[in-house]
Each structure stands twice: as C-alpha cells, then as structure tokens.
C-alpha cells in the first residue's frame, strides 16, 4: 500500500492539489483536509492533479465527489486533470465522470 501525499500549490487564480499514491478509505481524509484548508484560506477554484494517483476505490471516489459538492456549495469550482488508469475506469463505470466533465474520456 502506498500512502497518499497531497501537495498544495497556490497560483493567482486557483489552488492545485497534486495527489500521489492511493486514494482510499484511510487516505481520503488527506484530500478532504486539503480542500477544507484551501476553502478556509479563501481559495475557491481548485484543480486536482491525479497524474500520480496509483489507486482509487469507492471511498476515494466518494471523497472526490464530496469535495466537488463542498467547493460548489460555496460558489467555487473543482476540476480533475491528468485522469487515467484506475480512476478513469472508476469514473466511467460508475457514471461519476459526468461530475467532472474535463475528466471524461474522449
């Protein structure tokens, strides 16, 4: 099992959360905490870079969807970039890709 690390980068118009490792039941709190910290800091536009995400289960998917709802509720945006592999498959199979239009395949 690879632990999840979340790197936070603030740009002028958005915050980038770079995920590296496995997004699952035990690690999803790291994503939630990073999103909450960004919102608490007044950042409303969040980009989640999942290029280095190696695993995502249903708990990880739930964390992404929950983060999207939380950010949208305060008038912000949350987008996924560099979606591939297991996350792309989970999004496609569950229909959750509709929640992240930029992450939709092709």
């Amino acid at each position: 099992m690879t632990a999840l690390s979340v790197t936070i980068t603030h740009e002028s118009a958005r915050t980038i959360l770079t995920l590296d490792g496995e997004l699952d039941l035990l690690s999803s709190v790291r994503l939630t905490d990073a999103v909450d910290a960004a919102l608490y800091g007044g950042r409303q536009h969040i980009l989640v870079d999942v290029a280095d995400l190696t695993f995502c289960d249903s708990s990880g998917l739930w964390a992404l969807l929950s983060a999207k709802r939380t950010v949208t509720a305060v008038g912000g945006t949350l987008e996924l970039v560099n979606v591939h592999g297991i996350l792309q498959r989970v999004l496609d199979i569950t229909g959750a890709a509709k929640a992240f239009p930029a992450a939709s395949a092709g």
Side-chain angles (χ1 to χ4, degrees), residues 88 92 97 101-106:
Q88 185 68 62
D92 291 342
S104 298

Side-chain angles (χ1 to χ4, degrees), residues 17 31 35 44-48 64 67-68 71-72 76-80 99-100:
L17 305 180
L31 172 63
V35 169
Q44 290 187 315
H45 302 291
I46 300 173
L47 191 71
V48 181
L64 288 167
K68 172 97 173 173
V71 172
T72 302
T77 60
L78 186 140
E79 299 176 55
L80 300 181
F100 303 100

Side-chain angles (χ1 to χ4, degrees), residues 8-96:
I8 302 171
T9 306
H10 297 292
E11 294 183 344
S12 60
R14 64 184 179 187
T15 294
I16 300 172
L17 305 180
T18 304
L19 307 185
D20 186 1
E22 299 181 0
L23 183 57
D24 58 19
L25 179 62
L26 296 175
S27 65
S28 62
V29 69
R30 290 188 183 106
L31 172 63
T32 302
D33 289 348
V35 169
D36 290 347
L39 293 174
Y40 183 75
R43 311 296 295 204
Q44 290 187 315
H45 302 291
I46 300 173
L47 191 71
V48 181
D49 186 342
V50 295
D52 295 323
L53 196 66
T54 58
F55 178 80
C56 182
D57 66 6
S58 60
S59 298
L61 176 59
W62 177 255
L64 288 167
L65 291 168
S66 180
K68 172 97 173 173
R69 271 194 309 275
T70 299
V71 172
T72 302
V74 298
T77 60
L78 186 140
E79 299 176 55
L80 300 181
V81 294
N82 298 318
V83 178
H84 64 91
I86 189 70
L87 179 57
Q88 185 68 62
R89 184 166 165 79
V90 168
L91 289 171
D92 291 342
I93 289 171
T94 62

